Amino acid sequence: MTDSYDELPYRSVPHPDSHPTHLAVLGRLLGIPAPDPYRCRVLELGCAAGGNLIPIAWYLPETECVGIERSARQAEDGNRLIGALGLANCRILAADLRDVGAELGRFDYVVAHGVFSWVPDEVRASVLGLCRDLLAPNGIAFLSFNTLPGWRLRGALRDMLLAHCRGVEGTAARLEKAGELLRFLAAAQADATDPAAAYVRQEVRYLLGAHPSYLYHEYLAATNEPLLFRDFATLVQAHGLQYLADATLATMFPSTLGPGAEQALAAIDDQVELEQLIDFVRLRNFRRALLCHAEVEVDREISLERVQALAFYADLPVLPPLVLDREEPQDLPLAGGARATVGHPLVKAALDCLAARFPASVDFPTLLAGAGARVLSAGGGALAAQATALATELFSLFAAGAVRAEPAARDPRPQRADSRGLNRLCRALAAQGHLATPRHQAIDLDRFGVRLAGLLDGSRDPAALAGALQDAVARDEGPGRAAAPSPAAVRVNVERLLELFRRQGVLSV
């Protein structure tokens, strides 16, 4: 394992559901007084080069972040970036998870993303032991793993790739051999109508465009053991921990599966058994499980008072004209191309407020007052004050991932919103092909975006940026290459990316 990750480091990027603010919100919704995520200690097990951990430390400077990474190369790469950024609140230790313990102290949040299914049983036991021994009394741990039965479908593709690569040695050679099979399957299954073949075709299409490290470490790794959720929960319990929730909250509710499934599951009271059956219905292949100490009291009856104690934010597209004087269902766009039908005018006005304030978050009383004023001025009357309806719908949107929440309202953007310079973290990450936002999202960059990011030191206006990029793309012309875009097209692309970076809060002085 060490050799493969040293030879081909895993692409390390932010994972929003593992962020301490998200973990704190879920804990508090379930009645746990989770630690202050803005001033906490975070431990990441198997942190690679810190692509998830370092942005937490950068954007939350009052946290202390510690990573453990067995691959010496990845740990070295991460510490090099930490040193270049001058981050005194972050460090990565090159160590085996079986060789660390109490000397690290207690942590409010522990994260192990992409580790549990990819290590031997002995290391799995170490992961759970560290969660038990190092987690603060009301702390929360995040563990992701491949899940049965759904992963069997991906496992079929893994079996094909392993068989095709049998006898091939070396990372590069195995990747080339795997790519050969993927290209063959893409062509041979192009017209397949069987549902299983259609699923494999979709996975093949994704893998052909994915980062090589994902293909290698997910499909060609020596160890990749999915688990039944029921077995995972039993294993967790044996280590003095308990399953709290899934970081993707909506997947816990039978109502999201349709009336038939909801009715069939209505009599199941045991949370573990309920979620195991939901996994069967969904054919779920991956989980992001949250854990806490076994003795912690969990209240799964989520109250609206807890929802109203949160602050909300949402990265939404421009909304259409809203009907705010009466209840009328409207189909509204959400982040990532999703859509939702919203009828209550107070909820529609609140979404519009969040879209205008992003990436800042808004506490519930302020959101209720602002949305209510808009509904009242539109002639909505008593609808403007229906706080219960707003809280109920906000929770549903949060559970579905359409709206995000954190414990306290804040604005993570730089003070000068008109600045053209990327912050130092993003300037350092741009060469890796992505940026990390204050909302713990990754912005993937194409070649044009990487070039633009390299110029965003604050010294150039949009015209100068467009001119510099026009010269760069013109030098790319040659046999077999597309003609360089026009100056107007370059300028439009520059303006588009600058607006994206500005909206996502990564531009600073």
Side-chain angles (χ1 to χ4, degrees):
M1 182 175 65
T2 304
D3 290 343
S4 67
Y5 282 94
D6 283 344
E7 188 174 352
L8 181 62
Y10 196 82
R11 183 175 184 253
S12 183
V13 298
H15 301 290
D17 285 345
S18 73
H19 196 271
T21 56
H22 184 65
L23 304 184
V25 162
L26 292 178
R28 294 180 187 190
L29 284 173
L30 293 166
I32 300 175
D36 179 354
Y38 310 110
R39 299 168 185 83
C40 64
R41 297 192 79 220
V42 180
L43 173 66
E44 183 166 8
L45 307 176
C47 67
N52 184 59
L53 189 69
I54 294 172
I56 295 173
W58 173 266
Y59 289 114
L60 297 179
E62 293 185 70
T63 62
E64 181 186 354
C65 299
V66 178
I68 309 296
E69 174 52 50
R70 183 179 174 183
S71 164
R73 175 180 174 182
Q74 293 186 127
E76 182 180 346
D77 289 345
N79 281 319
R80 187 181 301 111
L81 176 57
I82 290 168
L85 295 172
L87 283 177
N89 64 330
C90 189
R91 60 193 170 109
I92 297 175
L93 306 178
D96 191 297
L97 296 178
R98 293 167 290 189
D99 297 333
V100 295
E103 72 280 0
L104 298 175
R106 287 291 187 101
F107 292 86
D108 301 301
Y109 300 98
V110 177
V111 174
H113 181 63
V115 174
F116 206 72
S117 284
W118 299 268
V119 292
D121 290 344
E122 180 186 355
V123 182
R124 288 187 188 183
S126 295
V127 169
L128 293 176
L130 289 171
C131 289
R132 177 195 60 226
D133 297 340
L134 303 186
L135 195 62
N138 289 312
I140 296 173
F142 172 107
L143 269 68
S144 65
F145 59 97
N146 286 334
T147 312
L148 295 172
W151 204 86
R152 291 292 185 207
L153 296 172
R154 285 185 173 178
L157 181 56
R158 170 173 156 83
D159 290 341
M160 295 180 215
L161 289 165
L162 289 176
H164 193 68
C165 293
R166 188 177 298 150
V168 178
E169 301 294 335
T171 302
R174 287 173 65 80
L175 277 173
E176 177 56 36
K177 192 69 173 176
E180 175 184 279
L181 179 62
L182 292 174
R183 292 187 292 272
F184 164 78
L185 290 173
Q189 294 185 325
D191 301 317
T193 58
D194 179 78
Y199 180 89
V200 170
R201 184 170 65 242
Q202 178 181 339
E203 287 296 305
V204 166
R205 186 182 305 118
Y206 176 78
L207 288 176
L208 285 171
H211 193 277
S213 66
Y214 176 75
L215 169 60
Y216 191 85
H217 297 301
E218 176 72 13
Y219 285 89
L220 301 179
T223 302
N224 190 335
E225 296 294 335
L227 292 87
L228 276 171
F229 172 68
R230 184 189 294 123
D231 293 341
F232 173 78
T234 300
L235 189 60
V236 163
Q237 186 177 18
H239 283 80
L241 301 164
Q242 65 174 312
Y243 169 74
L244 175 63
D246 196 272
T248 311
L249 204 58
T251 61
M252 299 170 57
F253 303 127
S255 58
T256 62
L257 299 171
E262 185 175 14
Q263 183 177 357
L265 295 167
I268 309 297
D269 292 327
D270 181 83
Q271 186 68 29
V272 170
E273 185 62 19
L274 174 64
E275 293 202 42
Q276 179 61 84
L277 291 174
I278 289 174
D279 279 6
F280 288 164
V281 176
R282 290 185 184 278
L283 286 177
R284 184 171 185 157
N285 58 38
F286 188 71
R287 271 187 170 268
R288 300 169 180 86
L290 307 189
L291 310 177
C292 62
H293 286 292
E295 61 270 20
V296 171
E297 293 187 12
V298 178
D299 182 5
R300 299 188 183 279
E301 296 296 325
I302 297 173
S303 69
L304 292 182
E305 288 77 11
R306 294 176 196 154
V307 175
Q308 293 172 1
L310 302 174
F312 297 89
Y313 60 95
D315 182 10
L316 301 175
V318 176
L319 299 180
L322 300 174
V323 178
L324 300 180
D325 62 339
R326 62 190 183 278
E327 290 199 53
E328 180 175 308
Q330 288 186 265
D331 183 46
L332 302 181
L334 303 175
R339 305 190 72 85
T341 300
V342 181
H344 201 292
L346 192 59
V347 178
K348 289 186 274 189
L351 289 175
D352 208 28
C353 290
L354 294 178
R357 295 285 297 274
F358 183 80
S361 59
V362 184
D363 63 74
F364 185 85
T366 302
L367 187 59
L368 174 63
R374 288 193 57 185
V375 172
L376 197 61
S377 66
L383 294 170
Q386 294 181 355
T388 298
L390 178 59
T392 301
E393 191 64 24
L394 277 177
F395 174 74
S396 296
L397 290 166
F398 168 75
V403 165
R404 307 287 291 188
E406 61 179 328
R410 65 191 180 100
D411 188 343
R413 287 175 291 193
Q415 294 301 308
R416 285 186 55 192
D418 62 341
S419 171
R420 294 181 297 274
L422 284 178
N423 65 48
R424 288 194 298 123
L425 171 65
C426 287
R427 294 218 305 271
L429 291 177
Q432 301 177 23
H434 73 276
L435 310 179
T437 77
R439 289 305 180 191
H440 213 53
Q441 297 278 352
I443 301 176
D444 289 329
L445 302 175
D446 59 14
R447 191 175 182 184
F448 185 92
V450 170
R451 281 176 164 164
L452 175 61
L455 298 172
L456 286 175
D457 58 4
S459 65
R460 299 173 179 85
D461 63 17
L465 289 168
L469 285 165
Q470 183 66 45
D471 291 341
V473 296
R475 289 195 297 271
D476 279 349
E477 288 186 275
R481 297 180 182 175
S486 68
V490 171
R491 178 63 181 263
V492 167
N493 211 16
V494 167
E495 295 284 5
R496 177 184 63 82
L497 287 173
L498 288 178
E499 179 55 33
L500 171 66
F501 297 163
R502 185 177 295 112
R503 176 171 172 76
Q504 295 296 331
V506 297
L507 293 175
S508 63
V509 175

